[in-house]
Amino acid sequence: MSKYGVLVMGPAGAGKTTFCSALIQHLRHNKRSCFYINLDPAAEEFVYEPDLDIKDLITLEDVMEEMSLGPNGGLIYCFEFLLENMDFLTEAIDPLSEEYLIIIDMPGQIELYTHIPILPSLVKHLTRTGALNINLCATYLLESTFVIDRAKYFAGTLSAMSAMIMLEVPHVNVLSKMDLVKDTIGRKDLKRFIDPDVSLLDDDPTDNTTSADDGGDPATVGNVMGGGSFKRLNRAVAQLIDDFSMVSYLRLDVQDEDSVGAILSYIDDAIQFHEAQEPKEPADEMDANWQD
């Protein structure tokens, strides 16, 4: 029996847990079942209590104290420990029917999604190639305020593309917190960031470099984050993203239920959720109305 799930990822502060809460609320309003898993060993506050919490297995605070590790090293250790104890996930997920949407809330450490092979190992266990046979979709959130700084936007997009390549599952990329930029950036200008394009750097309002900057010392304070070398690096990153043409974004405002529903529809399509659901029988009272 197939199962269906979504892996909610993205950098710290992108609104992953907030999106999970909005998604759960939307599912409940539409009488759909869901199973909420928290895999962030440092998370403390939730609108909806997780059905399964990694902190019941291991916590970041305990690891940092007992292993004398920092936050990043401690988080990696937590996931290595999880991979050695996958029964923690298997025993909870295995009984779920295909009616459930499994929502997995991930931590915000970018290394987990980009160049450490921990998450690909977890995904293999969860998906059809592993023990749980979950039709899994990854949803990568990037805060929409990144579009104000083009360099930051392309760096975030590069991490999203890296996650797509590493995990090898269907991806839905989302610009979150749209309510924070709707009064700052016009709708027409915002559309340009839906499909990343290197031409966005041609009219960057934050670009203060001049031809004189190209001959300066790239190690000076002014040139490290604003000189000609930095500009060429950004263009190389943007061109790489443009050449691969893998990333495009949906817009999300968690305060708008229609926006949350639109994201959910893309997730459902990516995991082919509705194709496995049995048609609902007409209500008895509808039959009675036809007889009348």
Side-chain angles (χ1 to χ4, degrees), residues 55-190:
K55 296 198 302 293
D56 295 332
L57 176 70
I58 189 170
T59 67
L60 180 59
E61 184 179 0
D62 290 342
V63 169
M64 290 173 62
E65 182 178 345
E66 295 179 16
M67 306 295 295
S68 299
L69 294 171
N72 289 348
L75 190 58
I76 292 172
Y77 180 90
C78 288
F79 269 81
E80 289 175 342
F81 187 81
L82 175 63
L83 291 177
E84 295 172 357
N85 296 271
M86 290 303 292
D87 288 347
F88 176 76
L89 287 175
T90 304
E91 291 174 0
I93 295 175
D94 196 48
L96 298 178
S97 70
E98 60 187 15
E99 295 179 355
Y100 282 82
L101 179 64
I102 303 166
I103 302 171
I104 305 174
D105 191 359
M106 298 295 295
Q109 189 181 17
I110 283 298
E111 293 92 327
L112 292 173
Y113 315 124
T114 55
H115 56 273
I116 296 177
I118 292 176
L119 205 54
S121 299
L122 175 63
V123 167
K124 286 180 181 178
H125 179 84
L126 294 173
T127 57
R128 290 182 172 182
T129 59
L132 290 171
N133 194 30
I134 300 176
N135 284 13
L136 193 66
C137 162
T139 298
Y140 194 98
L141 271 63
L142 189 69
E143 190 175 335
S144 60
T145 55
F146 278 30
V147 305
I148 298 172
D149 185 337
R150 307 289 166 90
K152 204 172 181 181
Y153 167 76
F154 279 111
T157 301
L158 182 64
S159 66
M161 188 176 78
S162 178
M164 295 175 74
I165 294 170
M166 284 279 286
L167 300 185
E168 298 180 330
V169 295
H171 261 69
V172 176
N173 297 300
V174 176
L175 286 175
S176 62
K177 302 184 180 181
M178 291 302 299
D179 54 302
L180 298 181
V181 298
K182 63 182 180 182
D183 296 328
T184 306
I185 301 177
R187 187 183 297 269
K188 183 177 180 181
D189 289 335
L190 197 56

Side-chain angles (χ1 to χ4, degrees), residues 274-290:
H274 292 296
E275 293 184 16
Q277 307 307 307
E278 294 186 6
K280 295 182 179 180
E281 294 294 331
D284 292 338
E285 52 268 23
M286 290 182 64
D287 291 338
N289 291 336
W290 278 106

